[in-house]
């Protein structure tokens, strides 16, 4: 009965401790030990594009503009990647142009994109906590998939487990690793990461190398890409077992490799574990019955070794973890319960004390070994006694090379801030900054904390070293960037000021200070309102209306809107353009530009424009008024000369007089045509030209105009091809103007086509319902510059001295304006030496189709 009671007590204690997670701390140490004993390769179909320190040095302005991510995406897409995931927070907007560029990149065809959602705890004022959920801005999401990138640490602060799916915004979202591995399913499964997978085997590329194209496309072709931060200064470090901490993107890659390689570890069900614990305890009870403590220790040790090997073998072959802590504790408790019955109380107490010391020593060793900082201990003569894993990483030397040797080997090329040598350094107590070189020769900057404890007769020196190389480099880079920023701001040919989110002046160049008359009397980092009142009191700006206080209130209100532009005049006659724009952190950028010269030029241009408009109106009104005075005498000259050529009242007496009369008649008609064109253009510009619209036949207009110019074409022996339009096709238009348009275009075609050339006229009803009349020729043609000149009133392609063809330069401009008055357009295609194709297009609203004309005639 006593043995049964003892067995039940052991089972109750161990099972209770196991079910209530009191043994979890030991189980985690065993779990980490198993991971160290095994080493596996990461999956190669996921490539990590890391935002590392070289990338931050190459693109020093952080946060990066989103167009930089777009460039990386386009590079990767060109290389033929399969999927791109971004572990980057895009929940807030940047400038609209960059957002649009990134959105276009995320819509590239042939590549799947995964964007992150985050769910982070936020403290409430009442002491509790809530969760802040964020997702990318809508422009970036589009049809792309969303995935969670969150990590949830265990009670010891380290991340060991992940879920395939997570609750998000009252719904469910797949975790990135499970989504990529196709394991997100419908159920929410928790699994342990296999930390035996070496992070160093994950394929990696620097973000800067991707943007600059310095990578082999074969490395990423057909693979999945994860873009995430690995630089220490970005702070995306996750506490993990074995390695102290890893970048969040690396942890996501390990999670994917665990799933993809079939290493998503599950722990044995608690029910089976309870059965296993009971089986081990019962087996030990039977095997150790009546045995002495040494034999019991051997049996218990054998049982522990057997179960440990079996558990390790199972985990090595299958992703199943069998808890050893409860089994070990059960075996140990069973052994010590029997031992307490066999040894004296004093021996038991000594044994317990020894175990406690060992446990504390083991605990301290684990703390030191998992510390993020390098820790090592020395003898007074400099011999290295202990040397943790972080020290190996910091100094680049393995512990086998260092332990037992002199510490001077770690501090090659030592330089101490404030001077001194290694002996002075070790004698110093406290924190001191030093520089030395790693085993690779790389310069290393350290913060050393040196202390001393006494163990027995000999003191022990404890050194804690923190690598601050990156921090010092970042600080130097930040100082350089700040100096460059100040120089750049000072070189701007405008006043520049930056106000922080509290509206206090953070930085300003000398132009801003001088223009506003600011002095040190306002104090350090003055408030914008104080500056505004000081400027108003100094009378810097001309206040045209209202009181000074009203001007101050308006100025402050515009500044607080942080998105305004205003032009004001200063008391010394300058004009200042002041622009205020918000920054992403709630501040305001103010830029003051001197636009006095622009204002003066603007006034001069306005005056010149008014004078030009007045002169143009005077010219137009004069030409319109001269219509009767010019046409009346010309009509008389033309009429009388025509009577003389026909010899209505008898012979003129000499054939020379007949020739002169013919010349007078033709010159008068030519001059009248020129004057008519000029007067038509004047009327159009004066807004006095009125269309006389009516239904007209396209065929009659085309054939009529073509027949009038047929003799001119025949005189030049040209191929004159006129295609009759579709029967019944009509227009609602001014018939006289349409005929004038056709005469101008056909006349130009004949004039600029050499002898033996071709001139064609055709009309078509287009599919959109518009009517197009095209005049084509094989003449001299025009370049684009010539065409622009020809469409300007009085424009000539050639100079007046060298021009081979006569004309006023009003033909095409009149055609263009007449077509616009009919809501149509003039289309010209021309190439020098190949001819010209001019088309006038009447809109469908003005076209009378043949069937409609037939109905109209029937009615």
């Amino acid at each position: 009965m006593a043995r049964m009671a003892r067995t039940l007590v052991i089972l109750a204690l161990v099972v209770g401790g196991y079910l209530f997670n009191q043994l979890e701390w030991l189980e985690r140490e065993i779990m980490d030990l198993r991971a160290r004993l095994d080493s596996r390769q990461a999956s190669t179909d996921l490539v990590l594009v890391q935002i590392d320190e070289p990338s931050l040095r190459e693109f020093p302005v952080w946060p990066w503009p989103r167009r930089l991510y777009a460039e990386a995406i386009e590079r990767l897409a060109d290389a033929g990647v399969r999927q791109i995931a971004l572990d980057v927070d895009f929940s807030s907007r940047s400038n609209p142009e960059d957002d649009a560029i990134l959105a276009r990149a995320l819509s590239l065809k042939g590549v799947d994109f995964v964007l992150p959602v985050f769910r982070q705890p936020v403290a409430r004022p009442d002491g509790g906590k809530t969760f802040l959920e964020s997702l990318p801005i809508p422009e970036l999401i589009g049809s792309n998939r969303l995935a969670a990138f969150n990590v949830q640490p265990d009670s010891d602060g380290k991340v060991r487990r992940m879920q395939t799916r997570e609750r998000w915004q009252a719904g469910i979202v797949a975790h990135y690793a499970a989504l990529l591995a196709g394991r997100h399913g419908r159920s929410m499964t928790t699994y342990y990461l296999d930390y035996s997978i070496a992070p160093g085997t994950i394929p990696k590329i620097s973000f800067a190398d991707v943007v600059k194209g310095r990578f082999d496309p074969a490395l990423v072709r057909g693979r999945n890409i994860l873009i995430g931060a690995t630089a220490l200064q970005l702070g995306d470090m996750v506490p993990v077992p074995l390695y102290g901490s890893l970048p969040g993107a690396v942890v996501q890659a390990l999670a994917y490799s665990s799933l993809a390689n079939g290493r998503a570890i599950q722990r044995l069900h608690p029910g089976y574990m309870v059965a296993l614990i009971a089986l081990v305890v019962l087996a030990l009870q039977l095997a150790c019955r009546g045995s002495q403590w040494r034999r019991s220790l051997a049996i218990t040790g054998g049982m522990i070794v057997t179960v440990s090997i079996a558990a390790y073998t199972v985990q090595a072959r299958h992703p199943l973890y069998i808890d050893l802590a409860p089994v070990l504790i059960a075996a140990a408790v069973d052994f010590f319960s029997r031992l307490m019955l066999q040894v004296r109380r004093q021996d038991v107490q000594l044994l317990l004390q020894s175990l406690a010391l060992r446990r504390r020593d083991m605990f301290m060793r684990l703390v030191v070994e998992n510390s993020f900082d390098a820790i090592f201990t020395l003898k007074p003569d400099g011999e290295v006694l202990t040397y943790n894993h972080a020290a190996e990483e910091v100094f680049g030397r393995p512990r086998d090379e260092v332990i037992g040797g002199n510490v001077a080997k770690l501090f090659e090329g030592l330089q101490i801030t404030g001077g001194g040598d290694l002996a002075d350094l070790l004698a110093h107590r406290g924190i001191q900054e030093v520089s030395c070189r790693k085993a690779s020769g790389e310069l290393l900057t350290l913060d050393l904390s040196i202390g001393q404890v006494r163990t027995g007769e000999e003191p022990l020196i404890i050194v804690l070293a923190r690598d601050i190389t990156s921090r010092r480099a970042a600080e130097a880079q930040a100082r350089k960037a700040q100096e460059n920023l100040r120089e750049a701001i000072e070189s701007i040919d405008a006043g520049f000021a930056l106000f922080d989110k509290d509206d206090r002046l953070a930085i300003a160049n000398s132009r801003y200070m001088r223009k506003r008359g600011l002095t040190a009397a306002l104090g350090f980092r003055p408030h914008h309102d104080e500056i505004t009142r000081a400027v108003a009191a100094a009378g810097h700006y001309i206040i045209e209306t209202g009181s000074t206080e009203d001007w101050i209130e308006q100025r402050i209100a515009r500044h607080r809107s942080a998105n305004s532009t205003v032009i004001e005049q200063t008391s010394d006659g300058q004009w200042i353009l002041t622009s205020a724009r918000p920054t992403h952190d709630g501040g305001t950028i103010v830029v003051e530009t001197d636009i006095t010269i622009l204002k003066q030029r603007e006034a001069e241009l306005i005056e010149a424009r008014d004078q030009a408009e007045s002169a143009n109106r005077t010219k137009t009104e004069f030409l319109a008024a001269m219509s009767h005075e010019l046409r009346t005498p010309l009509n008389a000259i033309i009429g009388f000369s025509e009577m003389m050529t026909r010899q209505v009242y008898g012979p003129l007496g000499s054939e020379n007089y007949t020739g002169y009369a013919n010349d007078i008649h033709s010159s008068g008609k030519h001059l009248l045509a020129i004057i008519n064109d000029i007067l038509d253009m004047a009327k159009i510009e004066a807004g006095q030209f009125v269309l006389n619209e009516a239904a007209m036949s396209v065929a009659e207009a085309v054939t009529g105009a073509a027949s009038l110019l047929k003799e001119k074409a025949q005189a030049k022996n040209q191929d004159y091809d006129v295609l009759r339009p579709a029967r019944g096709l009509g227009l609602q238009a001014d018939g006289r103007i349409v005929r004038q348009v056709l005469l101008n275009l056909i006349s130009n075609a004949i004039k600029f086509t050499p002898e033996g050339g071709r001139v064609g006229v055709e009309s078509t009803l287009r599919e959109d319902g518009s009517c197009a009349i095209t005049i084509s020729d094989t003449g001299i043609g025009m370049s684009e510059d010539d065409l622009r000149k020809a469409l300007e009133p009085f424009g000539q392609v050639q100079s007046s001295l060298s021009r081979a063809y006569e004309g006023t330069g009003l033909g095409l401009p009149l055609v263009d304006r007449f077509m616009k008055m009919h809501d149509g357009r003039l289309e010209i295609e021309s190439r020098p030496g190949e001819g010209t194709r001019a088309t006038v297009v009447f809109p469908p609203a003005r076209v009378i189709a043949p069937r409609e004309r037939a109905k109209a005639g029937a009615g």
Side-chain angles (χ1 to χ4, degrees):
M1 291 298 294
R3 185 181 296 110
M4 180 64 69
R6 183 165 60 85
T7 302
L8 293 176
V9 170
I10 293 172
L11 288 174
L13 289 174
V14 175
V15 171
Y18 166 70
L19 294 178
F20 288 96
N21 294 324
Q22 297 303 307
L23 306 179
E24 191 64 16
W25 64 271
L26 179 57
E27 196 62 53
R28 289 169 180 165
E29 297 297 334
I30 298 172
M31 188 179 295
D32 296 347
L33 178 60
R34 287 191 192 176
R36 286 193 184 93
L37 295 175
D38 200 359
S39 180
R40 300 177 184 272
Q41 299 289 319
S43 174
T44 59
D45 62 345
L46 175 63
V47 179
L48 176 59
V49 176
Q50 50 187 353
I51 304 174
D52 52 7
E53 293 182 8
S55 299
L56 294 179
R57 287 195 297 270
E58 191 153 355
F59 306 111
V61 178
W62 185 265
W64 286 340
R66 291 185 176 171
R67 67 179 63 234
L68 205 58
Y69 297 102
E71 291 179 19
I73 289 171
E74 291 170 356
R75 292 278 190 184
L76 293 169
D78 292 340
V81 303
R82 183 170 56 199
Q83 182 192 89
I84 300 176
L86 293 97
D87 188 6
V88 181
D89 188 0
F90 293 129
S91 59
S92 61
R93 299 182 183 276
S94 67
N95 65 75
E97 182 181 1
D98 278 5
D99 287 344
I101 291 172
L102 181 55
R104 286 196 298 270
L106 291 173
S107 63
L108 290 174
K109 302 299 183 182
V111 181
D112 292 331
F113 294 98
V114 179
L115 297 179
V117 298
F118 300 98
R119 187 169 184 262
Q120 300 172 337
V122 178
R124 294 200 306 262
D126 60 359
K129 69 177 181 178
T130 186
F131 287 91
L132 177 65
E133 298 178 334
S134 62
L135 74 166
I137 60 176
E139 292 91 332
L140 302 183
I141 295 177
S143 60
N144 298 319
R145 291 190 289 181
L146 299 177
F149 280 79
N150 304 310
V151 294
Q152 184 65 39
D154 285 346
S155 58
D156 63 347
K158 297 180 181 180
V159 174
R160 290 182 170 84
R161 296 178 290 177
M162 281 195 182
Q163 292 182 314
T164 57
R165 310 175 77 197
E166 293 185 17
R167 297 191 180 279
W168 192 78
Q169 288 191 351
I172 299 295
V173 64
H175 196 276
Y176 167 68
L179 177 67
L180 183 58
R183 297 282 296 274
H184 52 291
R186 293 187 177 181
S187 61
M188 192 176 300
T189 303
T190 300
Y191 63 94
Y192 282 79
L193 278 65
D194 187 3
Y195 280 106
S196 65
I197 298 174
T201 63
I202 298 172
K204 302 182 184 71
I205 307 176
S206 176
F207 185 93
D209 291 342
V210 172
V211 174
K212 298 296 184 179
R214 300 187 301 247
F215 68 102
D216 183 5
L219 181 63
V220 299
R221 186 176 297 115
R223 298 187 181 181
N224 303 301
I225 303 298
L226 172 60
I227 300 177
T230 61
L232 184 63
Q233 53 265 46
L234 294 182
D236 187 20
M237 302 299 291
V238 177
V240 297
L242 274 70
Y243 307 104
S245 62
L246 291 174
V250 174
V251 174
Q252 300 291 344
L254 288 177
Y256 168 71
S257 292
S258 298
L259 291 168
N261 295 346
R263 298 300 303 170
I265 299 173
Q266 300 290 328
R267 292 176 74 167
L268 189 64
H269 191 275
Y272 294 115
M273 278 304 307
V274 171
L276 179 60
I277 295 168
L279 180 63
V280 169
V281 172
L282 291 175
L284 288 174
Q285 290 285 333
L286 293 175
C288 297
R289 181 182 299 176
S291 301
Q292 296 297 321
W293 72 269
R294 289 184 177 84
R295 185 172 182 273
S296 295
L297 180 59
I299 294 173
T300 302
M303 178 67 75
I304 291 173
V305 170
T306 301
V307 174
S308 298
I309 293 175
Y312 176 79
T313 303
V314 170
Q315 183 177 344
R317 296 184 179 181
H318 307 282
L320 178 64
Y321 182 86
I322 300 175
D323 292 63
L324 280 182
V327 175
L328 298 180
I329 296 298
V333 170
D334 177 76
F335 169 75
F336 283 107
S337 66
R338 284 194 301 275
L339 185 63
M340 290 178 64
L341 299 176
Q342 299 177 11
V343 300
R344 294 175 303 173
R345 184 178 301 274
Q346 184 178 2
D347 294 336
V348 172
Q349 291 175 348
L350 290 174
L351 182 60
L352 290 175
Q353 290 174 2
S354 175
L355 291 174
L357 288 173
R358 289 179 178 274
R359 183 178 180 278
R360 283 197 296 270
D361 180 66
M362 181 181 68
F363 178 76
M364 291 305 299
R365 288 179 181 275
L366 289 173
V367 170
V368 170
E369 191 62 29
N370 288 283
S371 173
F372 184 75
D373 296 321
I375 301 175
F376 52 94
T377 57
L378 315 169
K379 289 183 179 181
D381 60 0
E383 180 185 348
V384 180
L385 298 177
T386 62
Y387 185 76
N388 70 347
H389 176 74
E392 292 182 304
E393 297 291 334
V394 169
F395 290 98
R397 297 182 184 277
R399 66 182 67 192
D400 294 341
E401 178 185 330
V402 175
I403 294 178
N406 194 279
V407 72
K409 193 170 186 178
L410 296 177
F411 294 103
E412 292 182 357
L414 177 66
Q415 293 182 359
I416 304 173
T417 302
D421 55 13
L422 182 58
D424 298 327
L425 177 65
L426 297 179
H428 179 78
R429 298 293 176 265
I431 299 176
Q432 191 159 342
E433 184 174 316
V434 303
S435 297
C436 60
R437 294 198 175 275
K438 298 177 69 170
S440 61
E442 182 182 351
L443 186 63
L444 186 65
T445 305
L446 301 171
D447 260 350
L448 291 184
S449 177
I450 302 175
Q452 182 174 315
V453 295
R454 182 169 293 276
T455 57
E457 298 180 357
E458 190 175 48
L460 183 67
I461 299 174
I462 301 176
V463 182
L464 186 147
R466 175 165 294 178
D467 185 358
I468 59 171
T469 308
S470 298
R471 188 176 75 191
R472 288 290 180 261
E475 289 172 354
Q477 189 174 11
R479 286 194 299 271
K480 181 64 176 176
Q482 189 172 16
E483 292 173 2
N484 292 339
L485 175 62
R486 288 186 178 276
E487 291 178 1
I489 291 173
E490 192 62 34
S491 66
I492 296 174
D493 190 19
F496 179 90
L498 173 64
F499 293 86
D500 61 19
K501 63 180 180 180
D502 298 323
D503 250 355
R504 293 194 172 277
L505 183 62
I507 188 172
N509 64 1
S510 58
R511 284 185 175 87
Y512 181 87
M513 303 294 284
R514 286 198 306 269
K515 285 184 178 181
R516 292 177 171 266
L518 299 180
T519 64
L522 287 174
F524 177 70
R525 291 172 59 83
H527 196 276
H528 173 266
D529 296 359
E530 297 174 355
I531 296 174
T532 303
R533 294 185 181 279
V535 170
H540 182 63
Y541 286 101
I542 296 176
I543 302 175
E544 297 180 350
T545 59
S547 64
T548 301
E549 193 61 33
D550 292 339
W551 181 87
I552 292 173
E553 291 180 0
Q554 292 174 3
R555 209 86 194 304
I556 293 174
R558 280 199 304 268
H559 176 81
R560 288 177 179 170
S561 68
N563 200 354
S564 63
T565 301
V566 63
I567 299 176
E568 295 173 301
Q569 189 175 18
T570 62
S571 56
D572 58 0
Q574 291 183 323
W575 287 92
I576 303 298
L577 171 66
T578 303
S579 300
R581 294 293 181 269
T583 63
H584 70 280
D585 59 352
T588 305
I589 293 175
V590 177
V591 179
E592 294 186 341
T593 307
D594 186 348
I595 60 170
T596 305
I597 296 177
L598 294 179
K599 275 290 189 179
Q600 293 172 352
R601 290 178 180 173
E602 180 182 358
E604 293 171 358
L605 288 174
I606 291 173
E607 182 180 359
R609 183 198 63 191
D610 293 342
Q611 292 177 356
E613 289 179 352
S614 176
N616 187 56
R617 284 195 300 271
T618 302
K619 179 264 296 181
T620 302
E621 292 170 359
F622 169 75
L623 291 175
M626 290 299 292
S627 173
H628 178 73
E629 285 75 6
L630 291 173
R631 283 175 172 154
T632 299
L634 277 175
N635 286 330
I637 292 171
I638 294 169
F640 290 145
S641 63
E642 185 174 0
M643 291 176 65
M644 293 172 67
T645 58
R646 293 181 180 180
Q647 301 182 18
V648 175
Y649 297 108
L652 296 178
S654 174
E655 292 183 0
N656 290 335
Y657 292 145
T658 303
Y660 296 155
N662 285 328
D663 291 341
I664 294 170
H665 184 263
S666 60
S667 299
K669 290 181 68 176
H670 178 67
L671 183 58
L672 180 60
I674 293 174
I675 291 173
N676 284 336
D677 286 347
I678 294 174
L679 292 176
D680 284 345
M681 181 63 71
K683 283 184 178 181
I684 292 173
E685 291 183 350
Q688 298 175 1
F689 199 98
V690 179
L691 295 177
N692 295 318
E693 300 183 28
M696 58 168 289
S697 169
V698 174
E700 292 177 0
V702 171
T703 55
S707 62
L708 289 176
L709 298 170
K710 184 175 181 180
E711 290 183 2
K712 292 180 65 176
Q714 290 175 346
K716 297 182 71 173
N717 197 26
Q718 294 174 344
D719 182 7
Y720 194 55
D721 186 12
V722 181
L723 299 180
R724 186 174 181 83
R727 188 173 182 181
L729 179 63
L731 294 172
Q732 184 70 22
D734 188 326
R736 183 184 71 83
I737 299 302
V738 173
R739 281 188 289 276
Q740 184 174 346
V741 166
L742 297 177
L743 286 171
N744 284 353
L745 294 178
I746 296 173
S747 177
N748 279 351
I750 294 172
K751 179 168 63 175
F752 293 109
T753 300
E755 291 190 7
R758 179 186 176 279
V759 175
V761 183
E762 63 177 329
S763 58
T764 57
L765 181 63
R766 294 182 173 179
E767 293 183 359
D768 62 354
S770 62
C771 177
I773 304 174
T774 301
I775 294 87
S776 59
D777 63 65
T778 59
I780 60 175
M782 293 180 287
S783 65
E784 292 186 3
D785 291 339
D786 293 340
L787 182 57
R788 280 194 292 271
K789 293 178 182 178
L791 288 172
E792 296 176 357
F794 305 102
Q796 296 290 345
V797 174
Q798 295 173 301
S799 70
S800 60
L801 296 177
S802 63
R803 191 169 66 244
Y805 302 94
E806 296 181 353
T808 61
L810 285 175
L812 286 181
L814 275 174
V815 170
D816 184 51
R817 283 160 175 75
F818 284 150
M819 288 308 299
K820 289 178 180 177
M821 293 177 69
H822 282 85
D823 306 318
R825 64 184 183 273
L826 170 63
E827 300 174 350
I828 299 179
E829 302 174 10
S830 184
R831 297 183 65 179
E834 296 183 10
T836 303
R837 181 180 177 88
T839 304
V840 289
V841 182
F842 293 89
R846 289 189 174 273
V847 177
I848 303 174
R851 186 175 298 176
E852 293 176 356
R853 288 182 60 85
K855 290 181 179 179

